[in-house]
Amino acid sequence: LVKSHLSSKSLNVCTSGSATSCEECLLIHPSCAWCAQEDFGQARTLNSRCDFSQNLQKRGCDDPFIENPRSGSSLLRSKPLSSKGSGVTQYDVIQIYPQKISLSLRPGDQTSFEVQVRPVEDYPVDLYYLMDLSLSMKDDLDTIRNLGTKLAEEMRKLTSNFRLGFGSFVDKNISPFSYTAPKYQDNPCNGYKLFPNCVPTFGFRHLLSLTDKVDRFNEEVQKQLVSRNRDAPEGGFDAILQAAVCKEKIGWRKEAYHLLVFATDDVPHLALDGKLGGLVHPHDGQCHLNDKNEYSAANMMDYPSLALLGEKLAENNIFLIFAVTKRHYVLYKNLTALIPGTTVEILDQDSKNIIQLIVNAYNNIRSKVELSVWDHPEDLNLAFTATCQDGQPLTGLRKCADLKIGDTVSFNITVDARGCPPKGTRKGFIIRPVGFKDRLEVSVDYRCDCSCTYYTKSNSSRCNSAGTYSCGMCHCEPGYLGARCECEEGEVDHQHLSACREAEGKQVCSGRGECSCNQCLCYESEFGKIYGTFCECDDFSCARHKGILCSGHGECHCGECKCHAGYIGDNCNCSTETASCASDDGKICSGRGSCVCGRCQCTEPGAFGDTCEKCPTCPDACGTKRECIECRLFNTGRLADNQTCQRMCKDEIITVETLKTDDSNTVQCVYKTENDCVMKFTYSEHANGQSVLTALKEPECAVAPNAMTVLLAVVGSILLMGIVLLAIWKLVITIHDRREFARFQSARSRARYEMQPLLQSSVSHDPSEIILIC
């Protein structure tokens, strides 16, 4: 961001803020600095003392006079992390590093610090067992009568310092949650055939404070009897809150893990459910255990909300373990997402697996580290990056899981302030791993003041005794004007103002400056420099091209572009160079257009490209691409030289066995090679402007016939023709003979028919006449 501000005057956020004091300058942007040097700037310009440090230095401000406070952090308490928890030094166990730091924050300027957390080995554990004693939990009560001894044996495998406590709950003893008729007061199970006797309904009862004497746990459990309520949900959240906030009676130790096991087989009542029984007062989050260690406000306040429950558990570093039956697992799993530091485990119907459940939950808790923030000031932004055991930074996360005891994880925390509180305000916040007693205290000091303000002097001689000198500037008393309060307001009349007008009727100092003591002091602009006797000139009001002043190829002088060499035009956007229009063959615009302002304007129909080099429909397109086919595929032709071929022939060439000629978007090209062969290829243009040539792998060539084959072919042809002619002649003769024979047969038959009368007439004559006739 700073680089972008420095690269362009129009983006200088510091000078555009029009800051009139050092403090105002610091609030504009974290990169802005103030020059407190007395003689800073030119006499006829209202120079902005608020700018980037680099700019102030270039404009003549010496380093000692530049006010540019930065954010930072310093360690106040940093004891090293511990490795072991229990023992004689257990009260000095350190699981977070550092323990106290101080931040100095300039608004908008970030600073970072690192926090390390290491869960130590053999850390003390306090476990409070909170059990549902409604009638449905009768078999569970029988199961846990010797729980204390067995649980202590398992937990001592994990820690040498273990304490156990016990409490129970049912529900509020009011309708509609419980049976309130007189006959049920002493025995809510009255008339219930399956289990006719039970104790009166109660909200929460603390039975055993945390102790290392586990036999007392067994004794207390064996005394307990179940009770009965009317509806299915239980008042367990009332009990959880009391177990969390009544820490003196429960006996929670400061230097121990606090585990609260909540065992039930049903769903809990939530806030606002109490209105069904007429309880309209929300829970106050306080301890209400009476002398009998019973919850005395059960029938006076509503059930606690999830937010209140989560707050009190976190405030007292308590890990809540929901031990619930399988059919309610999903409900309680959803609650863990709303209550930090909470886990859920599936409890058997008779609680047989309660010991393994607690051990698993404990191991699960110890394998996680999650940071929480307390007393977070609203004007501070915090961003977390976690680095867990794999060493990879995870941006936006404040939690690590799957840890082993003794693993060290770190978190990088970035802090920035959005504004400045009243002077002298100091704020702070606390960072604490969920469920740990350890914490990091962070104090915050806001750097909103400039050191030069400590040397402020009123009625200063530097201000002609008519103003207050502070951080290089004079703040004039009412009635005085000028950079050094050298003029009185009465002196600035029409006659004096006329000296600051370019002409009669024009604005004073062109409306872009102040008339101070008969001369114009030009304003500084976020867009550039304003100058001139009457502030009539500037270096930013010239013509632009695509938003760039003088196209970037000239300088702006008093509203007119002065072009660099090689450029012309009102906005210097027209280049006189033609090198950019030269195509690979050395022609200007490939001979298909003209070079205008350094760019080709194609005039040949169908031509396009930076140098009009692409033209599938041009008459010479096939000839131009033919040379590239020759040199690229066969290393022949005019461009056979490698460097020339590579420079001029950059089109993609695809070789195929068979050329497709049915594409209407391609140009078909054919040429004859030196060997009288025929080479075929197609030429097309992709949508991205790339030329594509598709060519046959080899030219199509005619093969010369064998001489013997020709001779045999000729002889065979002659013989075949002779045989064909003989066959035709034979066929004609046969047809002719048959016709003649047919005529002969016909004539012979007629002759016999004509002689029959003659033979018959001769029978009556002399036989000798017949002979003669014959």
Side-chain angles (χ1 to χ4, degrees):
L1 180 63
V2 175
K3 289 184 178 179
S4 66
H5 290 326
L6 292 173
S7 63
S8 174
K9 292 180 181 180
S10 63
L11 296 177
N12 193 326
V13 68
C14 301
T15 57
S16 65
S18 302
T20 58
S21 68
C22 183
E23 285 75 12
E24 289 181 10
C25 178
L26 299 186
L27 286 173
I28 293 175
H29 191 273
S31 299
C32 295
W34 179 269
C35 180
Q37 188 170 316
E38 181 179 358
D39 58 352
F40 175 70
Q42 301 175 1
R44 293 182 59 81
T45 304
L46 289 172
N47 283 289
S48 175
R49 293 178 175 271
C50 184
D51 205 339
F52 300 114
S53 295
Q54 297 91 324
N55 292 350
L56 293 175
Q57 290 172 346
K58 290 178 182 178
R59 289 160 54 195
C61 188
D62 297 333
D63 286 345
F65 296 98
I66 295 179
E67 296 280 347
N68 189 21
R70 312 310 309 167
S71 297
S73 62
S74 58
L75 296 176
L76 300 181
R77 186 164 63 246
S78 55
K79 295 181 180 179
L81 292 170
S82 305
S83 299
K84 194 173 179 65
S86 297
V88 294
T89 60
Q90 69 182 54
Y91 299 103
D92 298 325
V93 171
I94 304 297
Q95 297 182 99
I96 188 171
Y97 175 90
Q99 296 82 47
K100 189 173 185 179
I101 64 172
S102 174
L103 301 180
S104 295
L105 296 180
R106 175 178 171 177
D109 187 27
Q110 296 181 341
T111 188
S112 300
F113 59 92
E114 187 173 278
V115 176
Q116 294 181 339
V117 180
R118 179 193 295 164
V120 300
E121 180 185 357
D122 194 23
Y123 198 72
V125 175
D126 288 347
L127 188 149
Y128 191 79
Y129 192 86
L130 186 57
M131 185 176 181
D132 179 1
L133 282 188
S134 60
L135 190 57
S136 59
M137 292 287 285
K138 181 181 181 303
D139 54 345
D140 301 77
L141 181 60
D142 295 335
T143 302
I144 69 163
R145 294 194 185 279
N146 295 312
L147 173 67
T149 304
K150 296 177 182 179
L151 182 58
E153 290 175 358
E154 290 297 324
M155 291 301 296
R156 285 195 176 109
K157 296 177 183 178
L158 304 174
T159 176
S160 61
N161 195 336
F162 175 69
R163 297 201 310 177
L164 187 62
F166 181 61
S168 63
F169 66 92
V170 182
D171 205 347
K172 297 180 183 294
N173 191 18
I174 58 175
S175 181
F177 311 120
S178 299
Y179 295 95
T180 57
K183 67 175 182 178
Y184 296 120
Q185 287 298 312
D186 296 327
N187 181 15
C189 297
N190 188 4
Y192 185 62
K193 295 180 180 180
L194 296 178
F195 194 79
N197 295 305
C198 56
V199 298
T201 305
F202 59 92
F204 165 65
R205 188 174 289 157
H206 170 53
L207 301 169
L208 177 66
S209 298
L210 292 163
T211 177
D212 55 1
K213 296 178 176 59
V214 294
D215 290 340
R216 290 198 51 200
F217 179 90
N218 298 339
E219 293 172 3
E220 198 61 46
V221 170
Q222 291 176 11
K223 297 178 185 177
Q224 302 309 310
L225 296 174
V226 294
S227 183
R228 186 188 182 198
N229 59 324
R230 171 173 286 177
D231 59 352
E234 319 291 6
F237 279 8
D238 269 342
I240 291 175
L241 190 93
Q242 293 304 299
V245 299
C246 300
K247 46 190 176 183
E248 289 80 10
K249 291 197 173 186
I250 302 297
W252 298 114
R253 292 177 293 178
K254 183 179 179 180
E255 64 289 340
Y257 277 111
H258 302 159
L259 306 183
L260 177 57
V261 180
F262 179 79
T264 184
D265 65 347
D266 223 317
V267 299
H269 274 298
L270 302 176
L272 302 182
D273 285 357
K275 289 189 176 182
L276 296 173
L279 304 180
V280 295
H281 295 289
H283 204 292
D284 60 6
Q286 302 298 317
C287 177
H288 293 282
L289 290 185
N290 58 23
D291 295 338
K292 296 180 180 180
N293 285 330
E294 292 183 355
Y295 179 38
S296 60
N299 297 344
M300 294 185 289
M301 290 187 295
D302 193 7
Y303 299 97
S305 66
L306 291 176
L308 179 62
L309 205 60
E311 177 186 341
K312 294 304 177 180
L313 289 170
E315 186 179 300
N316 293 282
N317 305 321
I318 295 174
F319 289 106
L320 177 60
I321 303 171
F322 287 124
V324 299
T325 51
K326 187 174 183 179
R327 66 193 182 102
H328 298 303
Y329 176 81
V330 174
L331 169 67
Y332 283 92
K333 183 65 176 177
N334 292 335
L335 293 180
T336 63
L338 304 174
I339 306 176
T342 306
T343 59
V344 60
E345 300 286 343
I346 297 178
L347 181 69
D348 288 347
Q349 289 294 337
D350 57 358
S351 297
K352 286 183 179 179
N353 67 329
I354 187 63
I355 293 179
Q356 190 58 45
L357 181 152
I358 292 173
V359 172
N360 291 343
Y362 174 76
N363 289 330
N364 185 34
I365 290 170
R366 293 300 307 272
S367 68
K368 297 177 183 177
V369 170
E370 181 178 3
L371 297 186
S372 61
V373 181
W374 293 79
D375 302 325
H376 183 188
E378 293 182 357
D379 60 348
L380 295 184
N381 293 322
L382 273 68
F384 292 79
T385 298
T387 303
C388 303
Q389 64 273 24
D390 59 358
Q392 297 297 322
L394 303 171
T395 305
L397 292 183
R398 58 173 77 179
K399 179 179 179 180
C400 286
D402 300 324
L403 303 177
K404 296 179 181 178
I405 300 300
D407 283 350
T408 302
V409 295
S410 62
F411 300 88
N412 184 273
I413 304 172
T414 301
V415 186
D416 69 90
R418 292 192 293 270
C420 284
K423 287 188 177 182
T425 301
R426 291 181 65 89
K427 296 185 178 181
F429 57 94
I430 294 172
I431 294 177
R432 191 167 66 192
V434 175
F436 287 57
K437 73 173 182 64
D438 305 77
R439 65 183 191 172
L440 165 63
E441 298 178 11
V442 182
S443 60
V444 181
D445 179 26
Y446 294 81
R447 303 201 66 180
C448 298
D449 298 329
C450 299
S451 58
C452 59
T453 57
Y454 300 136
Y455 305 101
T456 298
K457 186 175 182 181
S458 57
N459 298 322
S460 173
S461 58
R462 296 173 177 175
C463 304
N464 292 292
S465 300
T468 300
Y469 181 80
S470 178
C471 295
M473 289 185 66
C474 283
H475 300 277
C476 301
E477 299 291 341
Y480 292 89
L481 302 170
R484 292 289 176 261
C485 307
E486 65 271 28
C487 298
E488 295 186 36
E489 283 187 359
E491 298 176 0
V492 186
D493 54 17
H494 183 271
Q495 180 180 356
H496 288 85
L497 290 177
S498 63
C500 295
R501 301 181 193 271
E502 189 174 6
E504 188 66 29
K506 294 280 189 176
Q507 287 183 298
V508 175
C509 298
S510 304
R512 304 197 296 180
E514 293 181 0
C515 185
S516 177
C517 301
N518 301 328
Q519 65 177 357
C520 286
L521 297 180
C522 302
Y523 297 137
E524 279 208 350
S525 171
E526 60 180 306
F527 302 109
K529 180 181 178 182
I530 299 174
Y531 59 96
T533 305
F534 306 102
C535 304
E536 72 278 10
C537 294
D538 62 60
D539 60 359
F540 55 83
S541 294
C542 295
R544 297 173 182 264
H545 179 66
K546 294 183 178 180
I548 302 176
L549 189 68
C550 298
S551 304
H553 303 303
E555 303 294 336
C556 183
H557 293 283
C558 206
E560 182 180 351
C561 285
K562 303 295 182 183
C563 299
H564 298 156
Y567 292 91
I568 58 175
D570 293 340
N571 53 14
C572 304
N573 70 323
C574 189
S575 173
T576 60
E577 295 291 331
T578 60
S580 58
C581 296
S583 56
D584 291 337
D585 58 3
K587 297 180 182 179
I588 298 297
C589 300
S590 304
R592 297 169 180 154
S594 57
C595 188
V596 179
C597 294
R599 301 187 67 179
C600 283
Q601 292 185 356
C602 305
T603 56
E604 182 78 22
F608 65 98
D610 292 339
T611 58
C612 305
E613 74 280 6
K614 302 180 186 297
C615 186
T617 60
C618 290
D620 61 340
C622 287
T624 303
K625 301 304 178 183
R626 166 188 172 175
E627 294 178 340
C628 292
I629 293 289
E630 289 179 332
C631 75
R632 290 274 298 277
L633 294 185
F634 308 112
N635 197 27
T636 61
R638 185 176 65 87
L639 305 178
D641 173 54
N642 283 337
Q643 292 183 353
T644 305
C645 186
Q646 294 298 325
R647 177 174 56 83
M648 296 188 63
C649 300
K650 299 177 182 179
D651 300 334
E652 180 184 1
I653 299 180
I654 302 172
T655 57
V656 295
E657 296 287 349
T658 305
L659 197 64
K660 294 182 180 180
T661 58
D662 56 351
D663 190 351
S664 60
N665 296 322
T666 62
V667 177
Q668 315 296 327
C669 300
V670 180
Y671 71 90
K672 198 171 185 179
T673 67
E674 298 175 355
N675 299 328
D676 291 332
C677 297
V678 176
M679 185 61 186
K680 299 179 181 179
F681 66 92
T682 61
Y683 168 36
S684 62
E685 296 284 344
H686 278 179
N688 59 8
Q690 182 183 13
S691 299
V692 179
L693 304 178
T694 304
L696 292 174
K697 287 187 176 180
E698 297 291 340
E700 295 178 350
C701 298
V703 180
N706 184 273
M708 182 59 70
T709 303
V710 174
L711 178 61
L712 292 175
V714 172
V715 172
S717 299
I718 294 173
L719 290 174
L720 180 62
M721 289 296 295
I723 292 171
V724 171
L725 290 174
L726 285 174
I728 295 172
W729 178 80
K730 179 65 176 175
L731 179 61
V732 171
I733 293 299
T734 301
I735 294 171
H736 179 268
D737 287 348
R738 287 182 177 179
R739 286 179 178 174
E740 291 297 322
F741 181 74
R743 289 176 185 173
F744 170 75
Q745 290 290 344
S746 177
R748 185 176 178 183
S749 297
R750 272 198 313 273
R752 288 179 178 176
Y753 177 76
E754 290 174 355
M755 290 182 68
Q756 283 293 334
L758 294 176
L759 291 175
Q760 292 176 357
S761 64
S762 65
V763 172
S764 62
H765 296 289
D766 189 11
S768 61
E769 291 179 3
I770 297 172
I771 297 171
L772 288 175
I773 291 170
C774 291

